[in-house]
Amino acid sequence: RKVVIAEAGSPVLLTYGVQCNSSIDDMLYWADLAERYAFEAPMSDITFMGQPQRRILRREPVGVVGAITPWNFPLYLNLAKLGPALAAGCTIVLKPAPDTPWSATVVGRLIAEKTEIPAGVVNIVASSDHALGEMLAADPRVDGVTFTGSTATGRRVMEVASRTVKKVFLELGGKSANVILDDADAGAFGAGILTCTHGGQGCAITTRMLVPRRRYDEALGILEAAFRGARYGDPNDPSVLQGPQVSKRQQERVLDYIEKGKREGARLVVGGGRPAHLPKGFYVEPTLFADVDPKATIAQEEIFGPVLCVIPYDDDDDAVRIANDSIYGLSGAVVSKSEERALAVARRIRSGTLAINGGMWFHVDTPFGGYKQSGIGRENGVAGFEEYLETKVMALPRPAQK
């Protein structure tokens, strides 16, 4: 817990969930799945060229896995790749992000000192040299690559891995939309402050709020109050959900996006700078933009900061159009008093996960990933486990009936 807070700037409150506790508990899921999964099973018989045939479907480990993880949820994402890879029977070379090496190296030390996992099965290679990731992706001794991170880097991983035509699965960026339908309770607008959780450094966070035009002023009033009253600061304080950005580089990147938003005509309602009362640390104020053009840079690109873009829409069709007007399709949300109506809208949004009326999809058995440039394949669940497996079919002649 102390390591994750110190190197990722995660609020301590999050470490009691996904950052630490639940990610460790999730390892039991992979152990159980490895025991109950049907690695080999008969298929139905067929007839080929007049001869009866029987078939066996077999799933085998992909082999050596190169795993590259980001800095925002370091322990969780390291274990989310180690767990299924080992359960599938693979060996793994894990390269953690340069900003968060300790969440991986501590795990490596525990594996070496406290488990019976043979040497060479799990390999932790921490480095600030980004070329190491390219080496993993290109090396012919690596049979599969799993990468979580930005879409730009994911494209490069895919390009380099293509030289050896190896299996690649990617969990990439997002620009998820929170669609508030016109019959929703007013409290749905205030929930927009959750965009600032962990400094907005989460790929599935909803960073666009789509608001019905006739309730636009109401929504902005509620949001402005929420953003002005937001508690943020020391991540060791259990009352805060927003700590610092992970680095000065990331802080400056977020502030650059905020300046670009203002230049492109969005209206800055709250925040937008470095907080004067927090001179130490890479903090960015909770930032609320209104009147955001759906085509604007801040509405199209992943900022990875505590920045919410509010976009008005005319009707449900218009909301779906705006939500889908993105290269991303990772997550999203829909809120309505009518579950049927919310589901109707959600079914039209091209996204890998969607929260309906506050529902939470996140769990170790939930296949997580995205449409479009938010990735290829899935992480977690049986679908995520099978990313670490190859498929083999063996056919035998059916003996003649006596």
Side-chain angles (χ1 to χ4, degrees):
R1 180 171 288 121
K2 291 180 179 179
V3 169
V4 171
I5 296 170
E7 67 175 358
S10 169
V12 65
L13 188 61
L14 296 183
T15 67
Y16 293 100
V18 63
Q19 285 281 22
C20 292
N21 288 20
S22 65
S23 60
I24 294 170
D25 293 342
D26 289 347
M27 297 298 282
L28 297 174
Y29 169 84
W30 299 116
D32 176 67
L33 182 57
E35 289 188 352
R36 60 185 170 83
Y37 185 81
F39 287 92
E40 186 169 304
M43 298 176 63
S44 60
D45 290 353
I46 60 170
T47 299
F48 182 77
M49 301 288 288
Q51 300 297 315
Q53 310 289 326
R54 55 194 174 101
R55 297 167 298 161
I56 300 171
L57 176 65
R58 179 174 170 80
R59 307 303 298 269
E60 298 178 346
V62 72
V64 179
V65 173
I68 306 169
T69 56
W71 45 257
N72 57 332
F73 287 82
L75 180 63
Y76 163 68
L77 288 163
N78 292 335
L79 295 182
K81 297 185 188 299
L82 280 169
L86 294 177
C90 299
T91 60
I92 186 167
V93 181
L94 171 64
K95 180 197 174 297
D99 289 307
T100 52
W102 297 110
S103 291
T105 53
V106 168
V107 170
R109 187 164 65 246
L110 289 172
I111 288 173
E113 297 175 358
K114 304 294 184 181
T115 76
E116 297 179 359
I117 295 174
V121 172
V122 176
N123 309 274
I124 311 293
V125 186
S127 173
S128 60
D129 187 350
H130 291 284
L132 178 60
E134 292 209 6
M135 290 173 61
L136 277 177
D139 197 312
R141 295 171 297 177
V142 174
D143 301 292
V145 176
T146 171
F147 170 77
T148 298
S150 73
T151 293
T153 305
R155 294 187 193 112
R156 180 61 180 165
V157 169
M158 193 173 182
E159 176 187 352
V160 172
S162 70
R163 298 171 191 169
T164 50
V165 198
K166 64 187 54 166
K167 193 168 188 179
V168 176
F169 42 112
L170 311 170
E171 194 268 285
L172 307 177
K175 195 67 185 179
S176 303
N178 184 3
V179 181
I180 312 297
L181 299 184
D182 59 14
D183 63 346
D185 291 332
F189 301 125
I193 190 61
L194 295 177
T195 294
C196 302
T197 301
H198 190 22
Q201 298 169 134
C203 55
I205 290 175
T206 53
T207 54
R208 294 182 293 159
M209 179 175 280
L210 277 52
V211 174
R213 201 174 297 276
R214 71 177 183 84
R215 299 187 66 183
Y216 192 62
D217 291 341
E218 175 193 5
L220 287 179
I222 293 171
L223 282 166
E224 180 175 357
F227 272 70
R228 291 198 187 280
R231 287 184 57 84
Y232 62 103
D234 183 356
N236 292 288
D237 182 344
S239 71
V240 305
L241 274 176
Q242 179 187 335
Q245 308 311 120
V246 72
S247 63
K248 184 173 181 59
R249 181 180 65 253
Q250 183 63 20
Q251 179 195 44
E252 292 175 346
R253 180 178 186 271
V254 174
L255 293 171
D256 285 345
Y257 268 112
I258 290 170
E259 291 304 309
K260 184 171 288 187
K262 292 191 287 187
R263 288 197 303 271
E264 292 184 357
R267 176 163 59 94
L268 182 63
V269 179
V270 179
R274 297 177 176 87
H277 69 289
L278 293 170
K280 183 179 180 181
F282 308 120
Y283 291 93
V284 175
E285 294 173 320
T287 300
L288 177 65
F289 274 109
D291 308 340
V292 180
D293 187 323
K295 296 289 188 182
T297 301
I298 60 171
Q300 289 290 324
E301 297 186 10
E302 186 175 44
I303 298 172
F304 237 53
V307 181
L308 178 64
C309 300
V310 183
I311 303 170
Y313 69 86
D314 295 320
D315 55 25
D316 291 8
D317 289 343
D318 192 35
V320 171
R321 179 188 63 78
I322 295 170
N324 287 334
D325 183 18
S326 171
I327 65 169
Y328 301 109
L330 187 59
S331 193
V334 183
V335 182
S336 170
K337 283 185 178 179
S338 166
E339 184 177 285
E340 182 180 2
R341 184 182 174 195
L343 283 169
V345 169
R347 289 187 177 106
R348 297 167 62 193
I349 295 175
R350 303 195 67 223
S351 172
T353 53
L354 283 154
I356 310 300
N357 291 338
M360 176 46 68
W361 46 264
F362 186 83
H363 193 266
V364 66
D365 69 355
T366 299
F368 177 64
Y371 287 32
K372 299 182 281 186
Q373 294 189 42
S374 283
I376 296 174
R378 291 295 182 267
E379 195 150 65
N380 286 337
V382 174
F385 179 67
E386 290 177 340
E387 299 286 358
Y388 294 87
L389 300 173
E390 290 284 12
T391 301
K392 174 185 289 183
V393 174
M394 299 176 288
L396 304 93
R398 170 63 64 189
Q401 295 289 335
K402 290 185 179 180

